[in-house]
Amino acid sequence: MDMHELFSRLGGIRPVRGRVFDPMPELEILSIENYLGCNLPEAYRTFLALFGATTLVGTSPDNPFVEFFSLTPLPVHISTNGNGLFDAFYGRPVDEQDAYGLSVRMRFYVGRMPNSIIPIGDDGGAGQICLAIKGREVGRIFYWDQKNEPLSEEDYLEDFGEPRPASAIFQNIYLVAMSFEDFLQHLEPGKPV
């Protein structure tokens, strides 16, 4: 798959900050893999090493939107046409608070998401594009819906008087694509608003 060709049909790709791409160095990718205790899929590693934190341009200034098709239907509050919006991929952080830093976002969502997925991008709102890094779904891409985020273990215990079931943390997750490459193929120019 030629990523440059794919991105050109979406109006191009650009860094989220400035005019120059900030690729993630191999040592930083290895550090993330060491932290996670697993290897990232090769296509995603390549993307990080080539581009880093990026957004897609869209077809025109009047239509900067990019959408993705989801294998599992998304809730109506996210999408009325079955597509979700895509905003940006995370990459190398510029500081410890960087909203587009992959490691920053991973730490932010610890305990809120299953430990089998990590956030790799967002929809510009309350949703996260996630990569499965463990289990039988490794490599798949999911949408994590913050509006339907499950109660924390403490709140669940307080509200229901029993521990939160393990399955509850998966209640707001939807399968989008079978791989990172597949997700890139699911991206399409958005419709003007």
Side-chain angles (χ1 to χ4, degrees):
M1 167 185 60
D2 181 355
M3 287 188 201
H4 293 283
E5 185 178 307
L6 180 122
F7 296 138
S8 70
R9 76 174 174 79
L10 299 167
I13 187 170
R14 65 179 175 78
V16 293
R17 293 175 292 277
R19 297 177 180 260
V20 179
F21 289 109
D22 186 17
M24 189 176 285
E26 178 66 16
L27 284 177
E28 194 165 339
I29 295 171
L30 289 171
S31 174
I32 287 172
E33 290 178 328
N34 188 43
Y35 170 78
L36 295 171
C38 64
N39 293 327
L40 296 171
E42 197 57 38
Y44 181 58
R45 286 179 111 263
T46 299
F47 178 86
L48 289 172
L50 287 174
F51 301 108
T54 54
T55 190
L56 298 165
V57 177
T59 57
S60 72
D62 293 333
N63 186 23
F65 306 103
V66 174
E67 297 179 346
F68 63 88
F69 168 76
S70 180
L71 292 176
T72 304
L74 299 173
V76 176
H77 69 270
I78 296 169
S79 171
T80 56
N81 68 358
N83 289 350
L85 284 177
F86 175 77
D87 183 45
F89 285 111
Y90 303 138
R92 181 183 195 178
V94 294
D95 59 39
E96 291 298 314
Q97 306 300 316
D98 184 2
Y100 295 107
L102 177 60
S103 57
V104 173
R105 302 315 282 169
M106 285 170 30
R107 285 192 307 275
F108 182 77
Y109 287 104
V110 166
R112 296 174 63 187
M113 291 181 175
N115 65 4
S116 60
I117 64 173
I118 60 169
I120 62 168
D122 71 36
D123 69 354
Q128 296 294 304
I129 309 303
C130 299
L131 170 68
I133 55 164
K134 297 178 183 171
R136 64 178 195 259
E137 296 176 332
V138 69
R140 293 183 183 174
I141 302 296
F142 292 88
Y143 181 83
W144 183 83
D145 174 17
Q146 185 171 334
K147 288 187 179 182
N148 287 324
E149 184 174 356
L151 293 172
S152 69
E153 291 185 42
E154 297 81 20
D155 289 343
Y156 194 96
L157 185 60
E158 185 177 311
D159 287 1
F160 297 101
E162 59 186 48
R164 180 179 72 183
S167 62
I169 201 161
F170 292 93
Q171 75 185 29
N172 62 334
I173 297 174
Y174 305 89
L175 178 63
V176 172
M178 299 305 285
S179 67
F180 183 71
E181 302 98 311
D182 190 32
F183 176 70
L184 295 179
Q185 296 292 334
H186 283 213
L187 295 170
E188 56 189 46
K191 313 297 183 275
V193 179

